[in-house]
Amino acid sequence: MFTAALAGFFLCLGLIVAIGAQNAFILRQGLRGEHVFWVCLTCAICDAFLITLGVTSLKAISAVLPGIEPVLRYGGAAFLLAYGLRSMRSAWRGGNALDAGTGQGASLKATLATLLAITFLNPHVYLDTVILIGSIATNYPGHEMAFAAGASLGSIVFFFTLGYGARLLRPLFAKPASWQVLDGLIAMVMTGLAVKLVV
């Protein structure tokens, strides 16, 4: 059981450590110091839900919804492209609105709504959590839930480390130009993911 949990933990860390839509959003919130706890907690809960869904229901989902893949792909690509264009506009405009120390951020409700959209409209989330983790969990017969628990713990550790660790970068991001660079990188990541999904 411990081996399954440990395997799930390290698999999950390996999958989510690469920067993506969700991680970029958490990093930005951490740098701004806005709703960090709730953002990290929401990400962890969403991941735990999707991981558990994959481990317990992968075969049933594929049988019931055989055409879900194209819907996830093109819908997610459209959302990621729109988010990438918004980040590109922020990078181009720059200014005090991107300064970590000034301005009023979005409300908790708006922040979590954006986060949930980024999470559930991104097909990579389903591919990684539901399909990949769900498939690999079958290698641990009888201990699938331990595997899922380990993977969920990996998500918790990563998200909270990213969200609260971002504050160490605040001196760098006190300059508006640094925010423009970050927004530019986020725009490239989002647009790249969108193109990859379609191609």
Side-chain angles (χ1 to χ4, degrees):
M1 183 182 294
F2 178 74
T3 302
L6 198 62
F9 179 84
F10 284 111
L11 173 65
C12 186
L13 282 181
L15 289 173
I16 64 176
V17 74
I19 190 164
Q22 199 179 50
N23 294 348
F25 187 83
I26 296 169
L27 177 62
R28 184 174 180 81
Q29 293 301 120
L31 286 169
R32 295 177 67 95
E34 293 177 357
H35 315 301
V36 179
F37 174 79
W38 294 109
V39 165
C40 295
L41 181 64
T42 301
C43 285
I45 290 171
C46 290
D47 254 25
F49 167 74
L50 291 170
I51 288 167
T52 304
L53 183 67
V55 169
T56 60
S57 310
L58 179 60
K59 289 181 182 176
I61 293 169
S62 299
V64 173
L65 300 170
I68 195 168
E69 192 270 336
V71 173
L72 292 176
R73 177 185 303 203
Y74 294 110
F79 176 79
L80 290 171
L81 183 61
Y83 193 89
L85 292 174
R86 191 180 84 167
S87 295
M88 193 179 300
R89 185 181 66 183
S90 294
W92 178 263
R93 292 170 68 183
N96 292 332
L98 297 174
D99 191 335
T102 63
Q104 185 167 351
S107 67
L108 176 61
K109 184 177 178 180
T111 298
L112 293 183
T114 301
L115 176 61
L116 290 173
I118 287 172
T119 299
F120 289 108
L121 294 178
N122 183 357
H124 282 279
V125 172
Y126 297 97
L127 295 173
D128 288 349
T129 56
V130 177
I131 296 173
L132 185 58
I133 292 178
S135 298
I136 294 175
T138 60
N139 294 323
Y140 299 89
H143 300 294
E144 291 92 348
M145 291 312 297
F147 186 89
S152 298
L153 179 61
S155 288
I156 293 169
V157 169
F158 177 79
F159 289 136
F160 278 91
T161 300
L162 179 63
Y164 284 101
R167 69 178 63 187
L168 300 174
L169 298 174
R170 280 183 189 163
L172 174 65
F173 284 91
K175 302 172 183 176
S178 298
W179 281 99
Q180 288 181 269
V181 171
L182 177 64
D183 276 322
L185 290 173
I186 291 172
M188 286 191 290
V189 168
M190 303 296 182
T191 306
L193 287 173
V195 170
K196 185 178 177 183
L197 284 174
V198 173
V199 173

